[in-house]
Amino acid sequence: MITVDDVRRFALTLPRTSEHLIRDRVKFRVGRIVYVAFSRDETVMGFGFPKEERAALVAAEPEKFLMPRESDLRYHWVEVRTSAVDEGEMRELVLEAWRMCVPKKVRLEQQRQAARP
């Protein structure tokens, strides 16, 4: 199970990330683009994910992943139950969502830094 604090500790290490509280919901953004957001009760975490792949993700693990609400289907977005993921998987999901919204130059620099011993 992950918490907002777990995500915060990791997300704020990613370049250009900022945290915001919008309508009682914690969100992490790069500029104006939200790449991670929590439900008000913090039991569901939404994150950036390719639209073309989300139906397969949800179908493969419906107990873990959820489609976004109907009004959010137009976005590159999917949701996960916070009780169903561990910290390692959360890091992968958050990192990939972040990579979708930062400039390529920033993404490549972060990859170089992560590869250093």
Side-chain angles (χ1 to χ4, degrees):
M1 177 175 179
I2 61 160
T3 66
V4 171
D5 288 334
D6 297 329
V7 174
R8 179 180 292 119
R9 272 191 298 277
F10 178 64
L12 292 178
T13 68
L14 300 172
R16 300 189 184 187
T17 293
S18 58
E19 180 180 349
H20 302 271
L21 186 62
I22 301 167
R23 295 187 187 123
D24 298 325
R25 295 180 58 183
V26 175
K27 298 183 180 200
F28 296 92
R29 302 188 322 197
V30 170
R32 299 187 74 198
I33 301 171
V34 174
Y35 70 92
V36 170
F38 284 86
S39 61
R40 284 186 175 90
D41 63 4
E42 299 178 3
T43 60
V44 175
M45 179 183 83
F47 58 96
F49 193 82
K51 281 195 270 189
E52 315 77 47
E53 299 173 22
R54 69 180 169 205
L57 178 72
V58 172
E61 297 184 83
E63 69 288 345
K64 183 185 289 190
F65 296 102
L66 310 157
M67 291 295 281
R69 63 182 183 215
E70 194 169 328
S71 62
D72 289 338
L73 287 174
R74 64 185 174 184
Y75 300 112
H76 292 274
W77 200 253
V78 73
E79 297 179 341
V80 65
R81 291 177 177 88
T82 57
S83 62
V85 292
D86 62 21
E87 190 162 344
E89 187 173 15
M90 172 274 293
R91 285 173 171 261
E92 288 178 34
L93 298 173
V94 170
L95 182 59
E96 289 306 313
W98 173 83
R99 286 180 176 159
M100 287 178 63
C101 63
V102 293
K104 183 177 180 181
K105 180 176 97 174
V106 175
R107 185 174 61 244
L108 293 174
E109 179 59 30
Q110 186 274 337
Q111 288 173 328
R112 279 193 290 275
Q113 289 179 357
R116 291 182 187 154

